[in-house]
Amino acid sequence: MAVFAVFVLCLSWASAEVSFDHGIASGDPLSDRIIIWTRVTPRGQPKDLWVRWAVSTSKKMKNPVRKGSYQTSPLKDWTVKIDVDSLEHSTRYYYHFYVGNDESPTGTFTLPPPTHTHLKHLKYAIFSCSNFRWGFFNAYQHAAEQNLDFWIHLGDYFYEYSSEVYPSMEEAVRPENSPTTELHSLSDYRLRHALTRSDPNLQKLSAVAPLIAVWDDHETADNAWVSGSHDQNQTVSEWNSRKLAAVRAYHEWMPTRSNDARFDPSYVGTRINRSFQFGDLATVIALESRLTNRTNPDEIQDIFGTIGSIVAGTTPLDWPRSSTAQQLLELREKIEEVRRSPNNHMLGEPQLQWLDETTNASVASGTKWQLYAQQVVVMDLAPFDLVGAIQNHSDVMEAAQWHHQLFEISVFPNAGFRYTDTTPFRNDRLGTIGRGSEVWEGAGVSVHSIALALLAMAHFGIQPNLDSWSGYLVEREKFLSILEKASNAIVYGGDSHNEWAGNLKLQQTNKTVAVEFDTSSVTSPGLEYHFGFLPLQLLDEAMLFANEDLRHSSIGEHGYMLVSLTHEKHHASYVRVPFENDEGAYHTKCGAAFDVRARESNNGSESVTFQKKRCSVLPLEKAGKLSDGLLVGAVLSGFAGLIFLAICFAKIRRMCRRNERLLPTPPPVS
């Protein structure tokens, strides 16, 4: 009997024409149509294949309401993408593909109602920054179980790096990579899409809800812009070829409404800004901020490294008596000139005009919420104010610990300390002296130098990140002026690999025009990767202390954002999903949740109401880090050491305040 079963299995395998190794997906949902997608893996080497598809209201795919066939070939990398029309909104549909007797999994979707049609509720998830080799896509699996109406990916859907870079082979949780080199050609980008789509958790999520996707930089290259990227060793011609290859592969492998790159004059290409209507409840407005109009974000290169080189060999006590302060002030002036240049563009005038028209049309239709899906942080976040956070911290004993550590590593370069974290991944892979220290020391940079650079950035008001909206302040103000016209504006961002939430205010009037929610990454490490030699709670409090409009900061947590939307409120939950272990070996929790109450009208009489709430979507656990760090002084330890630190904390703080008063006060930024 066993021999017969093996024979039947081998016979079926031999007779199979194709397999559907990369699953199925749907995307870009409209009220009467949707994109459905798959990719076939042929047996042998056929020139082309006809793939049949069907859409039905029956889970068993009986009596299809729409069906057809599609010819695919190596020219399309064997991908299949159908824009299925003539469908009904608010109806549960199922779909699948087949070649002969070989069938794909069955997927499902529901289309949103059109404008002016009442819609009570939406539930959707938001993701960003999913690096295959940093860990498992457990966040996708968890979201697949949440009965979503749709999901959004804000970019960095995959990364273009080689097997030696971010992560290195030693850091990688999943070492496999295809190709092993950095991506440049069409074949390269196709192979990386195939690797990404091989993930079973991504396939689960893709099968149960439509995707609305925008790219950021890593789908092409780090810090991509119209005419180049962070890679300075490429000509404009080489960049244009690389960009076209990346965009073509993206549209082949993603369920976007793009048309055919080879034949169709309406091919979308880089113009992926578009909008989606969900009845009278919401308009989702997706933006393109990289390849269409973006100017160079690397106009000033390696700001953090430059600061580090200026302060190298010094301590904060030395700055007033040296040329260090003047050099830092000159650097700040140079950065501010770039940040405030009217020649710097994130979206560009054509897209800003489209955005204005789309926002006005949504408001005129009576739609309650305008939801802006874009790639990067919009808040102009000031750098960590570590000193201010320590002085403001309510727990004197813990503040004494933090102060002692910061004082030692910034004043005494060779002082020993150990910041341990009980999370196995962090200790085993990044060392017991704290996540971040090995990263810098491996590059020949000391933790002492990094601590000095952090202190200098905060004291002199130097903005290190020109790749976010902080590098495009003139156009940022234009963007926020458009948001001011919205009924109720919510902005989603990613890119930073950390959780942020806060108010967006016009610089000229200080009026709050929107609330921003930035999701963390699926797997890519955040600021803890670079600065994890400091307690993560200190880093969070240092960000909150430095930014009055920032209401939430969480460094070191990863997962996704889950949103429940009604006409009364926007409820966002930060869902923390560990990525170091595979399916079933991790524990998920809601780390923070916030409500934004809808205004009845946008006439200036009602302000935006933004409140932190208890987590309600997942079982509530104590909010905080997955594991708390413990600082152990090189000399001081145990209870006696803590008492000693508490006694001398006031003296240390007074001494540092005296030292602060010796530092030159930076002039205000005009």
Side-chain angles (χ1 to χ4, degrees):
M1 186 69 178
V3 173
F4 178 74
V6 171
F7 173 76
V8 172
L9 179 62
C10 292
L11 185 64
S12 63
W13 178 264
S15 63
E17 293 186 60
V18 303
S19 58
F20 294 87
D21 299 340
H22 302 94
I24 57 175
S26 65
D28 282 11
L30 302 178
S31 62
D32 63 345
R33 63 198 306 149
I34 195 169
I35 301 294
I36 59 173
W37 176 96
T38 193
R39 198 247 186 192
V40 295
T41 302
R43 308 296 178 198
Q45 296 180 332
K47 292 182 179 180
D48 54 41
L49 281 171
W50 282 95
V51 181
R52 301 190 66 81
W53 59 270
V55 176
S56 173
T57 56
S58 165
K59 199 171 186 177
K60 296 182 178 181
M61 300 304 301
K62 296 179 179 179
N63 303 317
V65 297
R66 299 284 282 116
K67 61 182 180 179
S69 59
Y70 182 91
Q71 186 180 27
T72 188
S73 70
L75 290 175
K76 303 173 185 176
D77 200 19
W78 301 107
T79 58
V80 177
K81 187 155 65 170
I82 312 295
D83 194 351
V84 185
D85 59 8
S86 303
L87 299 175
E88 298 291 331
H89 68 80
S90 308
T91 300
R92 174 63 63 181
Y93 286 107
Y94 301 89
Y95 67 99
H96 73 168
F97 302 85
Y98 55 99
V99 177
N101 294 324
D102 305 318
E103 292 189 31
S104 73
T106 299
T108 185
F109 61 82
T110 301
L111 298 182
T115 310
H116 305 303
T117 303
H118 186 62
L119 180 63
K120 291 183 178 180
H121 177 260
L122 279 173
K123 187 178 184 182
Y124 52 97
I126 301 173
F127 301 87
S128 178
C129 305
S130 38
N131 188 314
F132 186 91
R133 297 177 64 247
W134 270 117
F136 297 96
F137 293 162
N138 297 327
Y140 291 153
Q141 182 202 29
H142 188 269
E145 300 167 354
Q146 302 302 313
N147 192 27
L148 302 177
D149 293 298
F150 63 96
W151 58 291
I152 297 173
H153 202 292
L154 297 174
D156 294 348
Y157 170 80
F158 66 57
Y159 285 69
E160 83 285 8
Y161 294 131
S162 74
S163 297
E164 299 299 326
V165 178
Y166 195 75
S168 66
M169 290 300 293
E170 293 75 21
E171 295 170 321
V173 176
R174 295 196 279 186
E176 59 265 41
N177 204 19
S178 179
T180 58
T181 56
E182 185 171 327
L183 310 185
H184 286 88
S185 68
L186 177 61
S187 175
D188 291 343
Y189 286 103
R190 284 172 166 175
L191 287 171
R192 192 61 55 86
H193 274 285
L195 174 69
T196 303
R197 276 277 171 197
S198 70
D199 182 84
N201 292 333
L202 174 58
Q203 291 187 21
K204 289 176 185 177
L205 179 57
S206 298
V208 298
L211 167 64
I212 297 173
V214 291
W215 57 57
D216 195 16
D217 54 339
H218 288 290
E219 289 89 345
T220 307
D222 184 28
N223 282 14
W225 56 290
V226 170
S227 300
S229 70
H230 190 67
D231 181 3
Q232 302 297 310
N233 299 316
Q234 57 187 350
T235 66
V236 174
S237 176
E238 289 171 337
W239 166 248
N240 286 335
S241 296
R242 184 181 187 182
K243 178 171 63 173
L244 289 174
V247 169
R248 176 173 171 179
Y250 185 91
H251 286 310
E252 287 175 344
W253 279 83
M254 301 291 283
T256 55
R257 186 170 281 104
S258 58
N259 300 316
D260 195 302
R262 297 170 300 128
F263 305 120
D264 196 328
S266 63
Y267 172 58
V268 168
T270 62
R271 296 174 289 106
I272 60 168
N273 55 294
R274 58 213 194 278
S275 65
F276 302 91
Q277 192 67 30
F278 293 85
D280 62 349
L281 181 57
T283 305
V284 174
I285 303 171
L287 304 180
E288 199 289 314
S289 65
R290 283 290 174 186
L291 303 179
T292 305
N293 290 290
R294 169 82 81 111
T295 52
N296 187 4
D298 287 329
E299 189 170 340
I300 301 178
Q301 298 232 352
D302 192 14
I303 293 173
F304 193 83
T306 301
I307 298 170
S309 66
I310 292 173
V311 299
T314 73
T315 73
L317 308 180
D318 302 324
W319 297 345
R321 296 186 296 273
S322 68
S323 62
T324 301
Q326 184 60 36
Q327 293 180 66
L328 291 170
L329 290 172
E330 289 174 357
L331 176 61
R332 187 186 74 166
E333 184 178 352
K334 181 181 178 182
I335 292 170
E336 290 301 315
E337 182 179 352
V338 171
R339 285 187 349 118
R340 299 173 190 280
S341 171
N343 298 321
N344 285 350
H345 302 291
M346 177 80 76
L347 304 178
E349 288 300 328
Q351 190 173 179
L352 283 171
Q353 182 178 350
W354 170 85
L355 179 64
D356 189 36
E357 294 170 353
T358 304
T359 298
N360 290 337
S362 177
V363 173
S365 71
T367 303
K368 179 62 72 173
W369 298 90
Q370 288 74 44
L371 310 173
Y372 299 86
Q374 55 88 56
Q375 294 79 356
V376 297
V377 177
V378 181
M379 289 178 284
D380 186 18
L381 295 178
F384 301 107
D385 188 344
L386 298 170
V387 174
I390 291 172
Q391 293 175 350
N392 192 59
H393 190 59
S394 58
D395 187 328
V396 175
M397 300 286 280
E398 191 168 41
Q401 288 183 314
W402 293 352
H403 200 292
H404 172 70
Q405 180 179 350
L406 184 60
F407 184 80
E408 281 209 333
I409 62 177
S410 60
V411 177
F412 306 111
N414 298 318
F417 73 94
R418 187 178 292 266
Y419 176 68
T420 64
D421 191 312
T422 57
T423 306
F425 173 78
R426 293 175 182 169
N427 280 328
D428 294 346
R429 296 188 177 275
L430 295 174
T432 55
I433 59 173
R435 182 189 285 257
S437 54
E438 284 193 353
V439 175
W440 293 115
E441 290 170 358
V445 181
S446 69
V447 169
H448 169 68
S449 298
I450 304 308
L452 286 179
L454 290 173
L455 291 171
M457 282 194 306
H459 183 77
F460 291 93
I462 299 173
Q463 173 56 253
N465 183 13
L466 302 186
D467 189 49
S468 70
W469 279 94
S470 292
Y472 303 82
L473 292 183
V474 173
E475 190 157 293
R476 178 182 181 273
E477 194 76 356
K478 293 180 180 180
F479 177 39
L480 296 187
S481 296
I482 295 173
L483 302 190
E484 185 180 17
K485 303 175 184 179
S487 304
N488 293 278
I490 301 291
V491 176
Y492 302 125
D495 181 63
S496 73
H497 310 171
N498 302 285
E499 297 175 7
W500 318 108
N503 291 321
L504 289 174
K505 292 182 177 179
L506 282 166
Q507 185 178 16
Q508 292 182 342
T509 63
N510 204 39
K511 177 184 177 182
T512 299
V513 298
V515 175
E516 177 176 357
F517 291 98
D518 299 314
T519 187
S520 185
S521 63
V522 175
T523 57
S524 305
L527 291 174
E528 77 278 7
Y529 181 68
H530 300 290
F531 308 126
F533 55 86
L534 293 169
L536 300 187
Q537 185 182 352
L538 170 58
L539 295 178
D540 285 332
E541 293 189 15
M543 284 301 295
L544 292 166
F545 186 84
N547 297 278
E548 63 177 356
D549 293 325
L550 184 66
R551 300 293 184 85
H552 172 67
S553 169
S554 184
I555 295 168
E557 303 287 4
H558 303 277
Y560 70 102
M561 192 159 58
L562 188 61
V563 179
S564 176
L565 188 71
T566 66
H567 283 261
E568 292 72 36
K569 68 179 180 180
H570 173 285
H571 180 83
S573 300
Y574 286 97
V575 183
R576 277 93 183 257
V577 188
F579 55 81
E580 296 88 359
N581 299 304
D582 60 3
E583 181 178 347
Y586 62 90
H587 181 59
T588 300
K589 66 182 178 183
C590 173
F594 298 88
D595 279 355
V596 178
R597 292 282 175 181
R599 297 176 295 185
E600 291 300 319
S601 62
N602 185 14
N603 56 14
S605 61
E606 287 186 86
S607 61
V608 176
T609 304
F610 181 29
Q611 297 177 322
K612 188 168 185 176
K613 307 295 286 187
R614 290 176 62 86
C615 291
S616 58
V617 179
L618 303 173
L620 180 64
E621 299 185 22
K622 183 179 179 181
K625 303 294 178 286
L626 295 175
S627 60
D628 296 323
L630 175 64
L631 173 69
V632 183
V635 179
L636 304 176
S637 62
F639 185 66
L642 293 177
I643 293 177
F644 177 80
L645 284 175
I647 293 173
C648 68
F649 171 62
K651 292 183 179 180
I652 296 173
R653 184 160 60 179
R654 284 198 299 271
M655 180 180 70
C656 288
R657 283 176 174 170
R658 286 198 302 271
N659 292 334
E660 279 186 359
R661 287 195 291 270
L662 294 175
L663 295 175
T665 302
V669 178
S670 59

